[in-house]
Amino acid sequence: MFVYLLTNWSLLCPLGCACTHRSGPISLRFVSPVCLFLSQALHQLYYDPNIENKNLAQKWLMQAQISAQAWQFCWALLRPDKVPEIQYFGASALHTKISRYWGDIPAEQYGTLKTQLFSQIALFASGSKIVLTRLCVALASLALNMMPEAWPGAVGEMVRAFQEEGGAADGRARCLALLELLTVLPEEFQTSRLPQYRKGQVRGALGREWAAVCPLLQQLLRQPESPAPVKARALKCLSSWVLLDVPLSESEGLLEAGFAALADPELFDTAVEAIVNAISQPDSQRYVSTLLKLVPQVLQLQEQLREAVQNGDMETSHGICRIAVSLGENHSRSLLEQVEHWQSFLALVNMIMFCTGIPGHYPVNETTSSLTLTFWYTLQDDIMSFEAEKQTVYLQVYRPVYFQLVDVLLHKAQFPTDEEYASWTSDEKEQFRIYRVDISDTLMYVYEMLGAELLSNLYDKLGRLLTNAEQPTSWQHTEALLYGFQSIAETIDVNYSDVIPGLIGLIPRININNVQLADTVMFTIGALAEWLADHPVMLSSVLPLVLQALGNPDLSVSSVSTLKKICRECKYDLPPYATNIVAVSQEVLIKQIHKTSQCMWLMQALGFLLSALPVEDILRNLHSLITPYIQQLEKLADETPNPSNKLAIIHILGLLSNLFTTLDITKQEEESGDSAPPIKSTPPQTGPNPVVVVLQQVFALIQTVLSKWLNDSQVVEAVCAIFEKSVKTLLHDFAPMVSQLSEMLGQMYSTIPQASALDLTRQMMHIFASETDHFPPIKALFELVTSVTLTIFQQGPRDHPDIVDSFMQLQAQALKRKPDLFLSENLDVKAVFHCGVLSLKFPEAPTVKSTCLFFTELLPHCADVPPVGQVVQDDGKLLLLAVLEAIGGQSSRSLMDQFAEVLFCMNKHCFGLLTVWLKEALQSPGFPSSRVSNEQKDTFSQQVLRERVNKRRVKDIVKEFTLVCRGLHGTEYAAEY
């Protein structure tokens, strides 16, 4: 019945009158049953427990709301005898029709519609608040669509209308209704769907209407007898209007009233919002004199701030901090430049410093300090942007402030007591971790201003802390100072700092009796890994600490990541420690102390370490390191497949992959040239690469594992990852494995095709395309996997988008690195081309992107690869049709750049054919979209054919045309595109 009503109601007039400007007279007899069905649908939406019924009702109501008949029933739904839910739907329908279907309303009906809305708002001024707000939004939308020509002085008329005596509502209710209307008017403008040129006109008109709003708000805020709800609504109205960039100088009186309202708990939050919005507007920086008047008003809040902090009133301290920070952050440069007022601005800076150091632990005892961090960035940027002479003067004043800031931040970064921290929730601990990261970023930034003196300052404090036996210190204080060092050393080059040797010397003296402290010690050592590479004599001081920490599961992330950094940066200085590092690592791996990801990091660390050893030492260590895993893998390979041994197999294969990712002896040869320091030079290695030796030894075992797990994509991916990472690391040194690996991949893919096998084939294609001795098996593999994949396409490829994606990438790589593969008699170029055309129509974006890449690699070979030229000549029109269908709306708009590149390549490499194909294709009525005219299609065709050099221009042409095809040209969606 719902659907019947939607499709069979008579077309009704916007105003509910029996006029004939639409399609003849209408009968009001329809209204009553319509309202009945709407009431039933709304009841179903709100109260029916069945979710399917709710969804059906919601869908029907949305259709009803945008129907032509909505003009009729919306007024009936607003009758006083209806419940608020039904009245709300009627008001929402009115807003929807006015805001989205303005063109449906005849100009001669504007006045009547306006009068009706005024009447309804007056009726609901003492009624339901949600319905009143919705009606105000509807009238606001009407005003925005009529301004400025059809309704000049709209706001003034609104004010006068609600100031008139009479009606059911009392004076206070009318005042609140007027303020609600004035509040939603700018908000509706911000979200309106007005065309861009109209937005400019309406914004200007609204700016002029501020002259009618400002006196009203001043009167209401200054009158002592104004009730708190009226003042709160007036402040909310101010908050809304300042977003239109009304001049700050014209709001001085209102802001003063806002500051006065901060003393009233009922008005506090609304006043804060209004003040912050006014101060934060970009245009407000032009009104320096007003800003200077605001500074003392903000400073006068310090006593209220201190009282709030003492009383634990987090809401009040948070609000006052927001005001101080918004003034300082948005206008620091303007206020800095007022040299004669430097003391008042410094006082504001110190007030913000108080907010930064507000007592308590974030986020449990306070949530205010985090608001201030961006201010310190801004102030520093503004100071450092001045010319040198001026900058020197400011630095004399503000360097001490920033040293104080460092002390405050490190204090705020301190952990609470162990007992208190244990009582925190996991969410609170995570928020505190993020807060410390923000502090770390701030310290790193502050270093740019304070320089080496900051490190010296931190070192002196840490030294006094660790060497003063008389005064007991908390681990929290030590940890915070180390955290400061870590924050700076992670991103700043500290190699030339003269305090780092002393810091390294202090670290062993730290009494590490806490996990958080131990973590920070580890991360600090890791941050100094590059410095240790230049000062290897200091490794003996810190390496034992790292190896000891490896055995503690609570320090898993910090200890393993630190060892990895040291092994990567200092590997040429680690041979004396290699035996010990391998032994400790082996022990923790066997004991399974660490989680999977840390085990993988540890294997990467060992790969870096072994890379610097002689080949015989590498092989010996590899043998002791991986033999237990090979034995375990042999045992697992004999077992019947089950979920438990699957995870174990994937884990072992992952360990080998990560080890081979970083084990690269070729770097020794590169880095042992003339430019390398003598101490780190290593004689060139001879003989087979150790990774290849190991792979050859375990190859048969891997084949055995595959034979049992070929149906499992995760195991196959893990196997392919070993070889893929090895290929990437070893490059041409992988050559001895090419033949047997190609054979294995061919057998794998022929049995059960999987994307990971294609990806590995593509990797080998990339490396060995130019090596005649090793390429024949890769060529045979390429032809085999292509043949197998073509069979998948014949059977239906929709269930295998990952295979199609990888296949297209492989074909693109082949065309790029070895295009003469497409000359082979064993390769069906025509079939591959048709597979590409089909793949363009897949819904998965990555697959379509890979397919577009394939065609952009294929089309340039029309001239030099005859089979390619032939298939393009025969079937290129099919490709063009697929591209045009996509542009016409069949594919996501996010893919238009890729389709534009295909079109550009066709234009560049087969211009004559494209000219004919385009003309034939675009002659079809309704193709590629029913929304485009023949003239628009002709224009598109001419624009494309004209651009054979400028790819960027073709992309713009395609974007423009796809918007036209989708009916989005000139809409707000197009503006975001």
Side-chain angles (χ1 to χ4, degrees):
M1 186 61 184
F2 290 162
V3 176
Y4 172 80
L5 279 172
L6 278 174
T7 54
N8 292 280
W9 285 341
S10 298
L11 290 172
L12 304 179
C13 171
L15 306 176
C17 56
C19 64
T20 57
H21 75 269
R22 287 285 169 205
S23 55
I26 57 171
S27 172
L28 298 181
R29 289 175 300 170
F30 284 100
V31 175
S32 184
V34 167
C35 291
L36 177 62
F37 279 107
L38 284 165
S39 300
Q40 291 173 349
L42 286 164
H43 188 276
Q44 189 169 300
L45 176 66
Y46 287 121
Y47 302 112
D48 195 318
N50 186 308
I51 191 67
E52 290 186 8
N53 290 344
K54 282 180 178 287
N55 291 337
L56 179 65
Q58 183 179 32
K59 184 177 180 181
W60 185 82
L61 286 166
M62 289 175 67
Q63 289 176 316
Q65 202 171 42
I66 64 173
S67 68
Q69 293 77 20
W71 286 118
Q72 179 72 24
F73 66 68
C74 59
W75 302 108
L77 295 180
L78 288 167
R79 288 205 303 252
D81 60 332
K82 303 296 182 185
V83 295
E85 290 91 339
I86 293 176
Q87 293 171 333
Y88 179 82
F89 181 79
S92 294
L94 265 175
H95 172 246
T96 300
K97 296 300 290 183
I98 293 169
S99 61
R100 298 189 186 180
Y101 302 96
W102 178 252
D104 292 350
I105 308 174
E108 62 270 14
Q109 300 293 342
Y110 292 170
T112 313
L113 183 55
K114 178 173 63 174
T115 303
Q116 289 244 38
L117 282 167
F118 269 125
S119 299
Q120 291 291 339
I121 290 171
L123 287 172
F124 278 92
S126 301
S128 170
K129 173 69 171 64
I130 59 169
V131 180
L132 172 65
T133 299
R134 212 71 201 136
L135 287 168
C136 288
V137 172
L139 181 55
S141 183
L142 178 76
L144 294 174
N145 278 292
M146 292 176 67
M147 294 168 70
E149 297 88 357
W151 193 0
V155 173
E157 184 177 336
M158 292 174 186
V159 173
R160 289 191 297 275
F162 284 91
Q163 284 177 335
E164 293 174 359
E165 295 292 334
D170 60 23
R172 176 175 166 179
R174 288 201 313 274
C175 180
L176 288 172
L178 172 60
L179 289 171
E180 182 68 15
L181 176 58
L182 295 178
T183 300
V184 300
L185 183 59
E187 293 171 353
E188 179 69 7
F189 172 76
Q190 304 290 355
T191 59
S192 68
R193 301 186 174 203
L194 295 170
Q196 203 60 40
Y197 79 95
R198 282 277 297 142
K199 275 213 165 188
Q201 291 176 348
V202 175
R203 176 182 279 275
L206 284 172
R208 292 188 292 275
E209 298 283 5
W210 174 241
V213 177
C214 185
L216 173 68
L217 299 183
Q218 284 182 334
Q219 180 186 357
L220 294 173
L221 288 171
R222 286 175 176 173
Q223 282 178 346
E225 64 272 17
S226 289
V230 171
K231 286 188 174 182
R233 193 66 60 81
L235 287 166
K236 190 177 178 185
C237 185
L238 169 62
S239 188
S240 178
W241 276 84
V242 295
L243 296 177
L244 294 174
D245 288 333
V246 297
L248 189 65
S249 58
E250 297 177 13
S251 309
E252 284 184 18
L254 291 170
L255 288 174
E256 190 176 326
F259 276 101
L262 292 171
D264 186 340
E266 280 189 73
L267 303 177
F268 182 84
D269 290 341
T270 316
V272 167
E273 207 62 40
I275 294 168
V276 168
N277 282 349
I279 293 173
S280 302
Q281 291 313 299
D283 191 54
S284 60
Q285 62 188 346
R286 297 196 293 124
Y287 305 97
V288 178
S289 61
T290 303
L291 294 173
L292 289 172
K293 293 175 186 176
L294 291 176
V295 173
Q297 294 184 67
V298 174
L299 294 176
Q300 285 175 4
L301 300 174
Q302 289 181 92
E303 186 58 36
Q304 187 179 357
L305 173 62
R306 289 193 180 91
E307 287 180 10
V309 171
Q310 288 172 1
N311 298 330
D313 184 353
M314 291 172 62
E315 286 79 11
T316 299
S317 58
H318 194 83
I320 294 175
C321 176
R322 281 186 65 200
I323 293 171
V325 169
S326 65
L327 181 59
E329 190 175 310
N330 288 288
H331 307 292
S332 62
R333 187 175 184 90
S334 299
L335 294 172
L336 278 169
E337 288 176 334
Q338 310 310 307
V339 180
E340 65 276 15
H341 298 278
W342 70 273
Q343 288 176 311
S344 62
F345 182 61
L346 182 59
L348 178 65
V349 171
N350 285 325
M351 182 179 177
I352 296 173
M353 181 75 76
F354 176 81
C355 296
T356 304
I358 203 163
H361 288 287
Y362 183 96
V364 177
N365 312 115
E366 63 89 8
T367 56
T368 298
S369 57
S370 62
L371 298 176
T372 67
L373 298 181
T374 309
F375 164 75
W376 299 109
Y377 286 83
T378 305
L379 178 60
Q380 179 177 324
D381 281 345
D382 288 335
I383 291 171
M384 303 304 285
S385 68
F386 286 120
E387 60 273 16
E389 187 177 341
K390 207 171 184 180
Q391 186 184 118
T392 304
V393 175
Y394 283 112
L395 287 176
Q396 287 176 351
V397 176
Y398 287 100
R399 271 176 66 87
V401 173
Y402 272 84
F403 274 113
Q404 181 189 352
L405 174 65
V406 171
D407 292 340
V408 169
L409 290 176
L410 291 179
H411 180 74
K412 293 296 294 180
Q414 287 186 24
F415 280 88
T417 62
D418 293 338
E419 296 78 18
E420 186 180 348
Y421 190 66
S423 70
W424 286 12
T425 65
S426 57
D427 185 53
E428 288 168 340
K429 289 177 180 178
E430 176 61 12
Q431 286 185 58
F432 182 61
R433 184 194 68 79
I434 295 169
Y435 176 66
R436 278 171 51 99
V437 171
D438 291 340
I439 287 177
S440 173
D441 293 341
T442 309
L443 289 171
M444 178 268 293
Y445 205 73
V446 167
Y447 179 84
E448 294 184 18
M449 176 188 278
L450 303 182
E453 192 179 343
L454 173 56
L455 290 177
S456 300
N457 185 290
L458 293 175
Y459 173 68
D460 291 342
K461 289 177 180 175
L462 184 62
R464 286 196 298 272
L465 209 61
L466 296 176
T467 56
N468 189 348
E470 298 176 4
Q471 187 176 356
T473 58
S474 66
W475 68 263
Q476 288 93 339
H477 199 175
T478 304
E479 189 277 338
L481 286 168
L482 274 177
Y483 187 67
F485 269 111
Q486 175 205 327
S487 302
I488 295 165
E490 272 182 337
T491 50
I492 305 293
D493 183 5
V494 296
N495 282 1
Y496 302 103
S497 171
D498 55 0
V499 304
I500 302 302
L503 173 63
I504 295 290
L506 285 174
I507 286 177
R509 302 184 61 160
I510 298 172
N511 179 23
I512 303 177
N513 55 4
N514 177 277
V515 170
Q516 283 85 18
L517 176 57
D519 255 337
T520 302
V521 169
M522 286 299 107
F523 284 127
T524 303
I525 294 171
L528 296 171
E530 288 187 34
W531 185 90
L532 288 168
D534 291 332
H535 306 82
V537 69
M538 304 300 289
L539 279 168
S540 58
S541 299
V542 295
L543 202 51
L545 289 173
V546 178
L547 295 179
Q548 182 183 353
L550 276 182
N552 186 342
D554 292 330
L555 303 177
S556 182
V557 173
S558 60
S559 61
V560 174
S561 66
T562 296
L563 181 64
K564 180 181 170 182
K565 286 180 180 178
I566 290 175
C567 289
R568 183 182 65 217
E569 303 297 336
C570 311
K571 60 184 176 183
Y572 296 114
D573 302 299
L574 291 178
Y577 310 97
T579 302
N580 193 22
I581 294 172
V582 172
V584 172
S585 301
Q586 236 177 322
E587 183 182 354
V588 299
L589 285 167
I590 290 170
K591 290 181 178 178
Q592 298 182 340
I593 287 174
H594 302 293
K595 293 181 180 178
T596 299
S597 56
Q598 278 71 56
C599 291
M600 303 306 160
W601 292 358
L602 190 51
M603 289 303 255
Q604 289 179 22
L606 293 173
F608 285 125
L609 173 71
L610 298 180
S611 297
L613 301 180
V615 168
E616 55 273 18
D617 291 346
I618 296 175
L619 288 169
R620 187 180 69 252
N621 279 290
L622 278 177
H623 183 266
S624 66
L625 183 63
I626 67 176
T627 294
Y629 295 110
I630 300 305
Q631 293 171 347
Q632 187 182 354
L633 193 60
E634 287 173 341
K635 182 183 174 187
L636 291 167
D638 291 336
E639 295 177 3
T640 305
N642 64 67
S644 175
N645 55 27
K646 170 186 169 178
L647 290 176
I649 288 171
I650 290 174
H651 180 75
I652 293 171
L653 295 174
L655 291 175
L656 295 176
S657 294
N658 281 275
L659 177 64
F660 297 155
T661 298
T662 54
L663 208 172
D664 186 7
I665 63 171
T666 59
K667 292 287 177 67
Q668 292 185 2
E669 298 168 24
E670 294 170 11
E671 297 179 21
S672 62
D674 296 335
S675 60
I679 190 171
K680 297 188 180 179
S681 61
T682 309
Q685 307 287 4
T686 55
N689 190 292
V691 173
V692 173
V693 172
V694 173
L695 284 175
Q696 287 174 329
Q697 291 173 352
V698 301
F699 195 85
L701 174 59
I702 290 175
Q703 284 182 305
T704 304
V705 170
L706 265 180
S707 66
K708 288 196 172 183
W709 289 92
L710 202 53
N711 285 310
D712 193 293
S713 62
Q714 290 177 302
V715 175
V716 172
E717 283 176 17
V719 168
C720 289
I722 292 180
F723 294 105
E724 187 173 0
K725 291 181 178 180
S726 301
V727 170
K728 286 181 178 178
T729 304
L730 302 180
L731 300 177
H732 298 285
D733 283 356
F734 190 81
M737 294 290 301
V738 166
S739 181
Q740 56 190 139
L741 179 58
S742 297
E743 185 179 349
M744 185 186 83
L745 282 174
Q747 292 170 353
M748 278 171 50
Y749 198 77
S750 298
T751 308
I752 298 180
Q754 298 205 24
S756 51
L758 294 174
D759 295 335
L760 181 50
T761 304
R762 174 167 53 85
Q763 197 64 42
M764 290 201 295
M765 173 87 65
H766 177 70
I767 303 297
F768 295 102
S770 58
E771 296 198 12
T772 53
D773 293 342
H774 302 293
F775 193 71
I778 296 175
K779 178 185 177 184
L781 172 62
F782 173 75
E783 292 174 350
L784 174 62
V785 297
T786 298
S787 175
V788 172
T789 309
L790 292 178
T791 304
I792 294 175
F793 270 92
Q794 290 172 359
Q795 297 168 351
R798 262 313 289 122
D799 295 333
H800 308 283
D802 56 335
I803 291 178
V804 174
D805 185 357
S806 295
F807 178 67
M808 286 298 148
Q809 289 187 52
L810 172 62
Q811 297 297 321
Q813 184 72 268
L815 286 160
K816 186 175 184 178
R817 299 284 292 153
K818 201 76 171 174
D820 54 2
L821 281 170
F822 281 68
L823 294 169
S824 170
E825 294 179 356
N826 299 323
L827 190 73
D828 190 341
V829 177
K830 191 180 188 71
V832 172
F833 183 91
H834 281 269
C835 289
V837 172
L838 184 62
S839 304
L840 285 176
K841 301 177 183 180
F842 271 49
E844 292 82 6
T847 303
V848 176
K849 286 183 179 180
S850 299
T851 307
C852 288
L853 175 65
F854 161 66
F855 281 116
T856 57
E857 293 291 347
L858 178 130
L859 291 166
H861 293 291
C862 286
D864 59 356
V865 180
V868 170
Q870 189 61 50
V871 73
V872 170
Q873 185 167 353
D874 293 345
D875 300 321
K877 186 179 176 182
L878 294 175
L879 171 60
L880 176 64
L881 290 172
V883 170
L884 291 176
E885 280 178 14
I887 296 171
Q890 295 301 310
S891 288
S892 167
R893 280 159 52 199
S894 64
L895 295 168
M896 290 305 107
D897 276 357
Q898 283 75 26
F899 284 109
E901 290 190 10
V902 176
L903 202 54
F904 177 77
C905 281
M906 293 182 80
N907 195 29
K908 188 173 181 179
H909 299 286
C910 38
F911 174 75
L913 293 169
L914 180 63
T915 304
V916 176
W917 294 336
L918 261 178
K919 184 176 181 181
E920 293 174 354
L922 294 177
Q923 278 179 346
S924 301
F927 182 84
S929 166
S930 58
R931 294 185 176 91
V932 289
S933 64
N934 289 333
E935 291 77 16
Q936 289 170 319
K937 289 195 277 189
D938 288 342
T939 301
F940 170 70
S941 177
Q942 291 167 14
Q943 288 176 328
V944 168
L945 293 172
R946 196 181 300 129
E947 297 294 341
R948 301 183 65 186
V949 176
N950 191 339
K951 187 190 296 184
R952 180 71 263 163
R953 174 67 185 135
V954 174
K955 290 181 179 180
D956 291 339
I957 293 166
V958 167
K959 283 183 179 180
E960 188 82 7
F961 189 62
T962 196
L963 289 173
V964 176
C965 290
R966 297 165 198 259
L968 296 174
H969 192 265
T971 66
E972 61 181 313
Y973 302 103
E976 297 168 5
Y977 185 31

PDB file of all heavy atoms in Angstrom, residues 526-541:
ATOM      1  N   GLY A 526      68.321   2.177  21.401  1.00  0.00           N
ATOM      2  CA  GLY A 526      67.982   2.019  19.991  1.00  0.00           C
ATOM      3  C   GLY A 526      68.059   3.336  19.238  1.00  0.00           C
ATOM      4  O   GLY A 526      68.508   3.386  18.087  1.00  0.00           O
ATOM      5  N   ALA A 527      67.611   4.420  19.882  1.00  0.00           N
ATOM      6  CA  ALA A 527      67.651   5.733  19.235  1.00  0.00           C
ATOM      7  C   ALA A 527      69.084   6.195  18.991  1.00  0.00           C
ATOM      8  O   ALA A 527      69.336   7.030  18.112  1.00  0.00           O
ATOM      9  CB  ALA A 527      66.918   6.762  20.100  1.00  0.00           C
ATOM     10  N   LEU A 528      70.030   5.634  19.760  1.00  0.00           N
ATOM     11  CA  LEU A 528      71.444   6.025  19.627  1.00  0.00           C
ATOM     12  C   LEU A 528      72.235   5.055  18.758  1.00  0.00           C
ATOM     13  O   LEU A 528      73.472   5.114  18.735  1.00  0.00           O
ATOM     14  CB  LEU A 528      72.092   6.120  21.022  1.00  0.00           C
ATOM     15  CG  LEU A 528      71.510   7.201  21.948  1.00  0.00           C
ATOM     16  CD1 LEU A 528      72.071   7.048  23.361  1.00  0.00           C
ATOM     17  CD2 LEU A 528      71.809   8.589  21.405  1.00  0.00           C
ATOM     18  N   ALA A 529      71.529   4.186  18.023  1.00  0.00           N
ATOM     19  CA  ALA A 529      72.227   3.162  17.235  1.00  0.00           C
ATOM     20  C   ALA A 529      73.161   3.782  16.199  1.00  0.00           C
ATOM     21  O   ALA A 529      74.292   3.297  16.000  1.00  0.00           O
ATOM     22  CB  ALA A 529      71.206   2.244  16.557  1.00  0.00           C
ATOM     23  N   GLU A 530      72.735   4.831  15.509  1.00  0.00           N
ATOM     24  CA  GLU A 530      73.610   5.471  14.515  1.00  0.00           C
ATOM     25  C   GLU A 530      74.837   6.079  15.191  1.00  0.00           C
ATOM     26  O   GLU A 530      75.942   6.040  14.635  1.00  0.00           O
ATOM     27  CB  GLU A 530      72.829   6.545  13.756  1.00  0.00           C
ATOM     28  CG  GLU A 530      71.802   5.994  12.779  1.00  0.00           C
ATOM     29  CD  GLU A 530      71.175   7.093  11.937  1.00  0.00           C
ATOM     30  OE1 GLU A 530      71.882   8.066  11.605  1.00  0.00           O
ATOM     31  OE2 GLU A 530      69.974   6.990  11.625  1.00  0.00           O
ATOM     32  N   TRP A 531      74.640   6.652  16.372  1.00  0.00           N
ATOM     33  CA  TRP A 531      75.792   7.209  17.101  1.00  0.00           C
ATOM     34  C   TRP A 531      76.749   6.090  17.484  1.00  0.00           C
ATOM     35  O   TRP A 531      77.973   6.240  17.377  1.00  0.00           O
ATOM     36  CB  TRP A 531      75.288   7.935  18.355  1.00  0.00           C
ATOM     37  CG  TRP A 531      76.382   8.648  19.117  1.00  0.00           C
ATOM     38  CD1 TRP A 531      76.806   9.915  18.957  1.00  0.00           C
ATOM     39  CD2 TRP A 531      77.188   8.081  20.160  1.00  0.00           C
ATOM     40  NE1 TRP A 531      77.832  10.206  19.821  1.00  0.00           N
ATOM     41  CE2 TRP A 531      78.095   9.087  20.583  1.00  0.00           C
ATOM     42  CE3 TRP A 531      77.256   6.842  20.776  1.00  0.00           C
ATOM     43  CZ2 TRP A 531      79.034   8.890  21.591  1.00  0.00           C
ATOM     44  CZ3 TRP A 531      78.196   6.627  21.779  1.00  0.00           C
ATOM     45  CH2 TRP A 531      79.067   7.645  22.179  1.00  0.00           C
ATOM     46  N   LEU A 532      76.229   4.943  17.909  1.00  0.00           N
ATOM     47  CA  LEU A 532      77.074   3.806  18.277  1.00  0.00           C
ATOM     48  C   LEU A 532      77.871   3.295  17.080  1.00  0.00           C
ATOM     49  O   LEU A 532      79.006   2.823  17.238  1.00  0.00           O
ATOM     50  CB  LEU A 532      76.207   2.678  18.847  1.00  0.00           C
ATOM     51  CG  LEU A 532      75.626   2.928  20.249  1.00  0.00           C
ATOM     52  CD1 LEU A 532      74.568   1.890  20.577  1.00  0.00           C
ATOM     53  CD2 LEU A 532      76.731   2.911  21.308  1.00  0.00           C
ATOM     54  N   ALA A 533      77.277   3.399  15.877  1.00  0.00           N
ATOM     55  CA  ALA A 533      78.004   2.967  14.680  1.00  0.00           C
ATOM     56  C   ALA A 533      79.249   3.814  14.458  1.00  0.00           C
ATOM     57  O   ALA A 533      80.263   3.325  13.944  1.00  0.00           O
ATOM     58  CB  ALA A 533      77.085   3.042  13.466  1.00  0.00           C
ATOM     59  N   ASP A 534      79.181   5.088  14.843  1.00  0.00           N
ATOM     60  CA  ASP A 534      80.345   5.974  14.719  1.00  0.00           C
ATOM     61  C   ASP A 534      81.249   5.908  15.937  1.00  0.00           C
ATOM     62  O   ASP A 534      82.370   6.436  15.914  1.00  0.00           O
ATOM     63  CB  ASP A 534      79.883   7.423  14.516  1.00  0.00           C
ATOM     64  CG  ASP A 534      79.234   7.626  13.167  1.00  0.00           C
ATOM     65  OD1 ASP A 534      79.592   6.885  12.218  1.00  0.00           O
ATOM     66  OD2 ASP A 534      78.350   8.497  13.051  1.00  0.00           O
ATOM     67  N   HIS A 535      80.801   5.293  17.011  1.00  0.00           N
ATOM     68  CA  HIS A 535      81.586   5.180  18.250  1.00  0.00           C
ATOM     69  C   HIS A 535      81.478   3.745  18.762  1.00  0.00           C
ATOM     70  O   HIS A 535      80.951   3.488  19.849  1.00  0.00           O
ATOM     71  CB  HIS A 535      81.080   6.166  19.308  1.00  0.00           C
ATOM     72  CG  HIS A 535      81.037   7.587  18.832  1.00  0.00           C
ATOM     73  ND1 HIS A 535      79.987   8.089  18.079  1.00  0.00           N
ATOM     74  CD2 HIS A 535      81.922   8.611  18.983  1.00  0.00           C
ATOM     75  CE1 HIS A 535      80.220   9.363  17.792  1.00  0.00           C
ATOM     76  NE2 HIS A 535      81.389   9.705  18.329  1.00  0.00           N
ATOM     77  N   PRO A 536      81.986   2.767  17.986  1.00  0.00           N
ATOM     78  CA  PRO A 536      81.767   1.349  18.309  1.00  0.00           C
ATOM     79  C   PRO A 536      82.380   0.915  19.638  1.00  0.00           C
ATOM     80  O   PRO A 536      81.958  -0.100  20.199  1.00  0.00           O
ATOM     81  CB  PRO A 536      82.423   0.620  17.133  1.00  0.00           C
ATOM     82  CG  PRO A 536      83.374   1.599  16.539  1.00  0.00           C
ATOM     83  CD  PRO A 536      82.767   2.935  16.741  1.00  0.00           C
ATOM     84  N   VAL A 537      83.329   1.686  20.138  1.00  0.00           N
ATOM     85  CA  VAL A 537      83.956   1.311  21.409  1.00  0.00           C
ATOM     86  C   VAL A 537      82.930   1.303  22.544  1.00  0.00           C
ATOM     87  O   VAL A 537      83.117   0.629  23.557  1.00  0.00           O
ATOM     88  CB  VAL A 537      85.127   2.281  21.730  1.00  0.00           C
ATOM     89  CG1 VAL A 537      84.605   3.671  22.068  1.00  0.00           C
ATOM     90  CG2 VAL A 537      85.999   1.747  22.863  1.00  0.00           C
ATOM     91  N   MET A 538      81.810   2.034  22.365  1.00  0.00           N
ATOM     92  CA  MET A 538      80.795   2.119  23.416  1.00  0.00           C
ATOM     93  C   MET A 538      79.801   0.959  23.363  1.00  0.00           C
ATOM     94  O   MET A 538      78.948   0.831  24.245  1.00  0.00           O
ATOM     95  CB  MET A 538      80.025   3.444  23.307  1.00  0.00           C
ATOM     96  CG  MET A 538      80.891   4.691  23.338  1.00  0.00           C
ATOM     97  SD  MET A 538      81.839   4.858  24.858  1.00  0.00           S
ATOM     98  CE  MET A 538      80.553   5.245  26.043  1.00  0.00           C
ATOM     99  N   LEU A 539      79.885   0.115  22.338  1.00  0.00           N
ATOM    100  CA  LEU A 539      78.945  -0.996  22.230  1.00  0.00           C
ATOM    101  C   LEU A 539      79.015  -1.922  23.440  1.00  0.00           C
ATOM    102  O   LEU A 539      78.000  -2.447  23.903  1.00  0.00           O
ATOM    103  CB  LEU A 539      79.222  -1.797  20.952  1.00  0.00           C
ATOM    104  CG  LEU A 539      78.651  -1.236  19.636  1.00  0.00           C
ATOM    105  CD1 LEU A 539      79.248  -1.966  18.448  1.00  0.00           C
ATOM    106  CD2 LEU A 539      77.123  -1.364  19.631  1.00  0.00           C
ATOM    107  N   SER A 540      80.206  -2.127  23.954  1.00  0.00           N
ATOM    108  CA  SER A 540      80.362  -3.052  25.081  1.00  0.00           C
ATOM    109  C   SER A 540      79.632  -2.580  26.327  1.00  0.00           C
ATOM    110  O   SER A 540      79.345  -3.382  27.220  1.00  0.00           O
ATOM    111  CB  SER A 540      81.857  -3.232  25.395  1.00  0.00           C
ATOM    112  OG  SER A 540      82.449  -1.969  25.702  1.00  0.00           O
ATOM    113  N   SER A 541      79.299  -1.281  26.388  1.00  0.00           N
ATOM    114  CA  SER A 541      78.599  -0.748  27.563  1.00  0.00           C
ATOM    115  C   SER A 541      77.109  -1.059  27.528  1.00  0.00           C
ATOM    116  O   SER A 541      76.481  -1.214  28.582  1.00  0.00           O
ATOM    117  CB  SER A 541      78.786   0.777  27.651  1.00  0.00           C
ATOM    118  OG  SER A 541      80.142   1.114  27.772  1.00  0.00           O
TER     119      SER A 541
END
